[in-house]
């Protein structure tokens, strides 16, 4: 709180002032969130290749780790670190600012409009971040065993059996359940996130806003269902060991 | 219309001697409340009884008691201005409550609204944001011809809806993040739709946003709780308009802040 009406001068001009303002953090949240969503859609489509069978899926996995795909793989890794990193940083910053702005709470609280999804964004966000860490440890870093070798495969060919790794993982009910719950949380997060991002970018209108809210729900459900199809496919024996 | 009835209420009122006092809830048994009274009149009755008993009356803000000045505040059972939509506390009638009801009354909570005493908070931060917005260029001299500046009905209505803001601060009080985005949006939107407001549009929004951050208001989480409690039912459309104005002023490089002007 300050009595003077003059904002403190900050070096670097108006764009820097914008980026360090609370709205700058919000716009960063919106853009990086949408950017992460777009990448997750590609990831989901990739995962669904598993329904084409082991040969096709392993071919796709080997392509991603081949020399031709190296720029693609590393490009997307850098993209993810930047996008997700900025999303987390701005999110935590906003959470902290907002906590300070409402240091004293109410004894009684009755919500009229704020949805549960909107009130739990930081917590669903943290839960998803924890899940992403275990997900990387599980499937990328291979902390829990990694991919088995394809029978009869001779190096230097890529012998990692990604299909068997996914199948083995989800035959464990706990792993499948954890995965399904995490996808539910991502969908729940997106329910508020998508329309909120669009509103933050200034897109609001009498016809557009009701549509954007439904769009958020639809995109959240789409992503969650798309990812959940794989563990469900394993549990329901659609995806079988080869 | 309901016929007049007498209510016996149990109030839990936030009492706080001054800004540095910790404060706490005090329970009051209030019989004989007419259902035709406003919520503030009910407090007048309580205060008269407290004064008769030689106790300190409850301090609360009020002025016009007609729902247009924006002075009254109070969070009543977890909702700023109480449970009815589109009304201020002074226009909230006791018929909204039932006999024997327990009512919790708290001050507007925001780090930018320090408690002065009991239910009175200092909402000067809102005035300082308006001040930061600066002036509107208006030609002085002879009165301009009527209709010399055409404004469409649609734009005029959009501006007027935003100008309905009475600056009560319920939006801030209702917001989980203590954000003043709805108030700020209303100030920006009411000028944005009128030609007279466009001359200073870029610096106005930039300076007001900067002041909001300085005052310690939170960032909007797009939860629309403010829209639902606003006694003037100002839509969150104005928040999106403010964001558009801010993005436009930033990325066209015309967000000339006060500090920049001093340098040149």
């Amino acid at each position: 709180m300050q009595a003077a009406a003059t904002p403190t001068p900050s070096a670097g001009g108006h764009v820097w002032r914008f980026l360090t303002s609370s709205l700058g953090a919000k716009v960063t949240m919106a853009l990086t969130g949408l950017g992460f969503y777009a990448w997750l859609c590609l990831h989901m489509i990739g995962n669904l290749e598993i329904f084409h069978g082991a040969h096709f899926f392993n071919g796709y996995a080997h392509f991603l780790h081949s020399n031709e795909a190296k720029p693609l793989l590393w490009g997307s890794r850098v993209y993810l670190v930047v996008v997700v990193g900025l999303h987390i940083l701005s999110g935590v910053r906003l959470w902290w600012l907002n906590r300070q702005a409402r240091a004293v709470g109410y004894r009684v609280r009755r919500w009229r409009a704020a949805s549960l999804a909107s009130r739990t964004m930081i917590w669903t966000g943290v839960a998803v971040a924890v899940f992403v860490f275990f997900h990387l440890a599980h499937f990328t870093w291979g902390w829990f065993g990694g991919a088995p070798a394809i029978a009869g495969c001779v190096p230097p060919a890529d012998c990692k059996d990604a299909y068997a790794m996914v199948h083995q993982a989800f035959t464990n009910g706990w792993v499948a359940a954890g995965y399904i719950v995490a996808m539910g949380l991502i969908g729940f997060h997106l329910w508020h996130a998508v329309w909120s991002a669009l509103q933050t970018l200034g897109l609001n209108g009498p016809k557009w806003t009701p549509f954007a809210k439904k769009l958020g729900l639809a995109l959240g459900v789409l992503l969650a269902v798309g990812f959940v199809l794989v563990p469900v496919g394993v549990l329901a024996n659609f995806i079988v060991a080869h | 219309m309901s016929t007049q009835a007498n209510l016996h209420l149990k109030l839990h009122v936030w009492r706080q001697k001054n800004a540095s006092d910790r404060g706490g809830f005090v329970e009051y048994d209030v019989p004989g409340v007419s259902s035709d009274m406003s919520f503030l009149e009910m407090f007048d009755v309580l205060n008269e009884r407290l004064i008769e008993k030689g106790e300190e009356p409850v301090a609360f803000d009020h002025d016009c008691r007609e729902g247009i000045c924006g002075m009254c505040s109070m969070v009543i059972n977890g909702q700023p201005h109480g449970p009815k939509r589109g009304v201020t506390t002074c226009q909230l009638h006791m018929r909204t409550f039932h006999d024997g009801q327990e009512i919790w009354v708290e001050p507007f909570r925001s780090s930018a609204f320090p408690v002065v005493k009991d239910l009175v908070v200092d909402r000067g931060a809102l005035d300082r944001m308006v001040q930061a917005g600066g002036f509107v260029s208006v030609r002085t001299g002879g009165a301009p011809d009527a209709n010399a500046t055409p404004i469409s009905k649609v734009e005029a209505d959009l501006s007027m809806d935003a100008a309905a803001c009475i600056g009560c601060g319920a939006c801030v009080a209702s917001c989980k993040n203590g954000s003043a985005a709805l108030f700020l949006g209303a100030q920006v939107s009411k000028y944005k739709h009128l030609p007279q407001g466009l001359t200073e549009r870029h610096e106005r929004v930039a300076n007001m946003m900067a002041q909001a951050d300085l005052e310690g208001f939170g960032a909007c989480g797009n939860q629309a709780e403010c829209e639902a409690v606003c006694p003037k039912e100002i839509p969150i459309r104005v928040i999106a308009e403010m964001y558009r104005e801010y993005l436009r002023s930033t990325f066209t490089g015309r967000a000339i802040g006060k500090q920049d002007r001093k340098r040149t």
Side-chain angles (χ1 to χ4, degrees):
Chain A
M1 237 197 42
Q2 274 196 12
T6 313
T8 319
S10 59
H14 52 272
V15 174
W16 177 252
R17 204 180 308 139
F18 167 75
L19 288 174
T20 53
S21 72
S22 62
L23 182 59
K26 273 171 58 65
V27 169
T28 309
M29 283 305 279
L31 293 176
T32 53
L34 293 173
F36 191 33
Y37 182 84
W39 185 87
L40 283 176
C41 285
L42 296 179
H43 181 19
M44 179 190 80
I45 293 164
N47 282 5
L48 292 176
E49 304 299 342
I50 201 165
F51 287 98
H52 277 135
H55 185 70
F56 193 94
F57 188 68
N58 280 337
Y60 166 69
H62 294 161
F63 164 72
L64 287 182
H65 287 273
S66 65
N67 277 328
E68 307 93 83
K70 257 207 172 104
L72 183 74
L73 183 72
W74 280 98
S76 77
R77 280 176 178 168
V78 169
Y79 172 81
L80 281 175
V81 167
V82 171
V83 161
V84 177
L86 284 175
H87 195 71
I88 291 174
L89 280 178
S90 328
V92 170
R93 179 168 164 233
L94 285 171
W95 171 76
W96 180 244
L97 281 176
N98 294 339
R99 246 177 76 98
Q100 286 179 313
R102 166 55 56 70
V104 183
Y106 291 107
R107 168 73 172 71
V108 182
R109 199 75 176 92
R110 195 158 299 157
W111 299 103
R112 275 189 200 173
S115 64
L116 184 64
S118 76
R119 283 182 275 130
T120 52
M121 290 301 274
I122 183 74
W123 306 119
T124 48
V126 166
V128 168
V130 169
F131 162 77
V132 167
F133 177 79
F134 279 104
H135 180 62
L136 288 173
H138 189 179
F139 289 121
T140 304
W141 305 327
W143 286 9
F144 312 112
I150 297 169
C153 168
V154 187
D158 192 341
C159 292
K160 282 182 184 153
D161 194 344
Y163 181 93
M165 176 171 71
V166 172
H167 181 266
Q168 271 171 22
F170 291 137
T171 44
N172 181 332
W174 290 107
V175 173
Y179 197 92
I180 291 167
V181 168
M183 292 309 107
L185 288 174
I186 289 186
F188 195 61
H189 192 79
L190 287 168
W191 184 14
H192 179 68
V194 172
W195 101 263
S196 178
L198 298 172
Q199 162 89 2
T200 296
L201 296 173
L203 299 168
N204 181 296
K207 290 223 171 106
W208 165 260
T209 299
F211 168 74
K213 286 184 179 175
K214 284 185 199 135
L215 181 74
L217 180 62
L219 290 181
V221 169
L222 182 79
L223 195 77
V225 168
F227 276 118
V228 158
L229 280 177
V230 175
V232 167
V234 171
L235 291 175
N237 277 330
F238 268 116
I239 299 164
V240 289
H242 68 107
Chain B
M1 286 297 289
S2 66
T3 49
Q4 194 199 330
N6 268 335
L7 306 174
H8 188 153
L9 302 168
K10 191 195 229 179
L11 291 186
H12 300 271
V13 182
W14 182 264
R15 303 299 310 258
Q16 186 175 336
K17 281 196 183 70
N18 51 48
S20 50
D21 182 27
R22 269 193 78 219
F25 285 98
V26 176
E27 199 182 304
Y28 295 104
D29 187 54
V30 193
V33 175
S34 161
S35 59
D36 285 349
M37 283 177 183
S38 75
F39 202 81
L40 296 187
E41 285 164 343
M42 185 270 294
F43 260 95
D44 293 337
V45 169
L46 170 67
N47 277 347
E48 276 175 28
R49 292 176 190 169
L50 289 178
I51 292 166
E52 277 169 22
K53 280 199 279 182
E55 289 177 33
E56 182 80 6
V58 180
F60 61 91
D61 264 328
H62 63 109
D63 191 13
C64 76
R65 299 206 178 193
E66 292 183 314
I68 53 163
C69 77
M71 258 327 265
C72 56
S73 52
M74 300 191 191
V75 172
I76 301 158
N77 278 347
Q79 297 176 80
H81 294 302
K84 283 197 83 168
R85 273 175 190 260
V87 296
T88 51
T89 301
C90 62
Q91 296 286 293
L92 176 71
H93 288 91
M94 297 314 295
R95 65 182 80 97
T96 315
F97 301 91
H98 61 78
D99 192 33
Q101 193 168 345
E102 250 184 287
I103 305 174
W104 293 81
V105 187
E106 303 173 63
F108 277 5
R109 294 290 190 194
S110 158
S111 301
F113 292 168
V115 174
V116 177
K117 187 180 181 182
D118 296 340
L119 302 170
V120 178
V121 296
D122 178 0
R123 285 168 279 180
L126 300 182
D127 298 329
R128 289 190 291 274
M129 285 195 290
V130 170
Q131 203 185 342
F135 53 85
V136 177
S137 289
V138 177
R139 267 177 67 116
T140 54
D145 287 343
N147 302 324
T149 312
I151 302 165
S152 84
K153 167 79 173 137
V154 175
E155 293 293 310
D157 284 351
L158 288 171
S159 171
M160 193 55 219
D161 287 347
C165 174
I166 54 176
C168 67
C171 44
V172 179
S174 73
C175 178
K176 178 173 91 60
N177 302 339
S179 168
L182 193 72
F183 173 80
L184 263 184
Q187 309 316 311
V188 170
S189 175
K190 72 183 177 195
Y191 293 122
K192 170 191 184 294
H193 292 283
L194 300 178
Q196 291 88 344
L198 297 184
T199 316
E200 289 86 16
R201 70 192 293 188
H202 298 292
E203 47 197 289
R204 179 184 302 120
V205 66
N207 286 330
M208 289 182 97
M209 286 291 301
Q211 188 67 27
D213 279 356
L214 276 183
E215 297 288 353
F217 289 108
C220 173
N222 301 324
Q223 302 182 300
E225 194 64 21
C226 49
E227 177 184 80
V229 303
C230 176
K232 298 299 153 188
E233 300 183 299
I234 293 170
I236 56 168
R237 177 258 302 173
V238 300
I239 301 180
E241 283 179 0
M242 172 183 67
Y243 293 162
R244 282 209 293 275
E245 287 293 291
Y246 194 35
L247 290 171
R248 181 204 302 266
S249 79
T250 299
F251 291 103
T252 54
R254 288 190 284 176
I256 303 162
K258 288 196 167 82
Q259 61 275 30
D260 299 311
R261 209 185 296 130
K262 270 181 204 148
R263 252 181 258 143
T264 53

